[in-house]
Amino acid sequence: MSIKITDLSHIYDRNTPNETVAIDQINLTIESGQFVGLIGHTGSGKSTLIQHLNGLLKPSEGEIVVSGYNITEGLDQTHSKKRSQRKKEARARKKKLIEVRRRVGLVFQYPEYQLFEETVEKDVAFGPLNLGLSDADAIERVKEALSLVGMDYNDYKDRSPFDLSGGQKRRVAIAGVLAMKPEVLILDEPTAGLDPKGRDEILGQIKHLHEKEGMTVIIVSHSMEDMAKISERLIVMNRGRIVLDGHPKEVFKHI
Ligand code: ADP
Ligand code: ADP
């Protein structure tokens, strides 16, 4: 499943004094099975870009096609179109977004925002149950997903996610996304706030997932060193643009 972005721009607070061009005409293709590190300073547009990959934001301009679904089609809601036509297009887009969000799992920078049930088990089961799986099948998914992030189901299932350490919370958040069996896993700063040991563990597990499950992985980070070590493609953003893109060895020649 590939992701293809064409001439994507994102402007916050357009036509106001706070207008910010967060994404400036980006073109990008990510092929199935790649392990991509997305790096750049704070404010370079990384978070905005990944939110577009599963349709959380509406682009100001451009086209996004995920796994053959053009999620930007029908966004041009000009008043020249009939109301009924606009409604039809909005419904079609919603359907496509559901399909795309099933395939593209996003783990936010602050896992707290992604945890909301009173036990780890319920939290990780939320996605699968929402997909319509039976309780038994959802529990299988929970066991599998927790084991993929190195957590024992029996040890953690009844714990409150809010009482866990930062690294454990992040693992539960990742497990919640993995339980949906996404084809693409996107993580925003998955090592933020962790000590070096916690960082190595999380990155090791993500790398393992990529190798074992063939999952496409996109990691947003501002740690050039971490990403150079584990990714096979490094994309460097600056001021809303992609300024370097290639194998870490190639990218480092230009830094
Ligand atoms: P990071 O570089 O780690 O992504 P930021 O400080 O850029 O952290 O952003 C943290 C959050 O605040 C993001 O969700 C981002 O969308 C939001 N944010 C950043 N800048 C603004 C802004 N000027 N106005 C409103 N929200 C913002
Ligand atoms: P990064 O993830 O690389 O830190 P962001 O995508 O968060 O970058 O931010 C890119 C630019 O957009 C920054 O100038 C930021 O302040 C601005 N921005 C991000 N989110 C918002 C928002 N919700 N409202 C307004 N401006 C925002």
Side-chain angles (χ1 to χ4, degrees):
M1 105 145 219
S2 66
I3 295 173
K4 190 167 164 48
I5 290 175
T6 314
D7 291 329
L8 178 71
S9 290
H10 191 94
I11 302 166
Y12 287 108
D13 304 316
R14 204 172 196 172
N15 301 324
T16 75
N18 293 327
E19 182 168 295
T20 305
V21 181
I23 301 290
D24 190 5
Q25 295 185 313
I26 279 187
N27 288 288
L28 175 67
T29 301
I30 294 175
E31 300 295 349
S32 183
Q34 283 187 339
F35 195 113
V36 180
L38 180 60
I39 60 177
H41 295 299
T42 296
S44 58
K46 306 180 299 295
S47 300
T48 304
L49 178 62
I50 59 166
Q51 290 178 67
H52 278 293
L53 301 182
N54 69 356
L56 288 175
L57 292 173
K58 288 184 185 181
S60 308
E61 275 156 40
E63 190 180 82
I64 301 163
V65 180
V66 180
S67 197
Y69 294 95
N70 181 339
I71 56 172
T72 39
E73 203 171 46
L75 270 184
D76 178 22
Q77 297 286 327
T78 53
H79 288 281
S80 61
K81 284 181 188 167
K82 283 210 187 94
R83 206 173 117 89
S84 60
Q85 177 68 15
R86 292 206 303 259
K87 270 196 164 165
K88 206 172 134 198
E89 286 180 355
R91 266 201 305 273
R93 181 166 187 268
K94 222 176 201 172
K95 268 196 182 155
K96 278 190 267 185
L97 284 179
I98 291 172
E99 289 303 320
V100 164
R101 286 183 189 148
R102 239 179 233 195
R103 291 172 169 79
V104 181
L106 191 54
V107 181
F108 292 101
Q109 179 169 4
Y110 302 103
E112 288 77 5
Y113 298 151
Q114 227 160 341
L115 304 171
F116 44 86
E117 295 282 353
E118 72 251 33
T119 67
V120 166
E121 176 168 43
K122 284 187 181 166
D123 216 289
V124 180
F126 180 84
L129 290 173
N130 212 26
L131 287 180
L133 266 68
S134 69
D135 285 359
D137 288 345
I139 290 173
E140 275 315 304
R141 292 269 186 112
V142 174
K143 287 182 181 167
E144 212 179 324
L146 284 174
S147 107
L148 285 171
V149 296
M151 293 177 102
D152 183 75
Y153 170 75
N154 290 313
D155 289 351
Y156 286 97
K157 71 181 174 76
D158 297 322
R159 302 267 310 262
S160 162
F162 303 100
D163 295 339
L164 301 175
S165 72
Q168 289 167 334
K169 276 184 189 149
R170 191 158 280 136
R171 268 175 226 203
V172 175
I174 296 173
V177 170
L178 291 176
M180 312 270 286
K181 293 200 183 281
E183 293 164 39
V184 179
L185 179 65
I186 306 177
L187 305 113
D188 195 354
E189 298 280 1
T191 59
L194 301 183
D195 58 23
K197 185 166 165 275
R199 282 212 298 271
D200 286 349
E201 274 177 19
I202 286 274
L203 292 178
Q205 272 152 2
I206 297 166
K207 184 78 179 172
H208 182 70
L209 268 174
H210 165 74
E211 281 161 1
K212 187 165 164 248
E213 313 276 313
M215 202 179 276
T216 307
V217 174
I218 303 171
I219 300 186
V220 174
S221 175
H222 50 240
S223 170
M224 183 90 86
E225 290 83 45
D226 281 353
M227 291 306 105
K229 257 190 263 168
I230 67 168
S231 58
E232 44 200 39
R233 178 177 179 187
L234 212 49
I235 297 175
V236 185
M237 288 188 71
N238 188 32
R239 294 170 182 261
R241 291 177 178 241
I242 291 173
V243 289
L244 290 167
D245 180 359
H247 192 275
K249 278 193 188 132
E250 287 303 310
V251 167
F252 270 102
K253 282 187 196 159
H254 298 277
I255 292 174

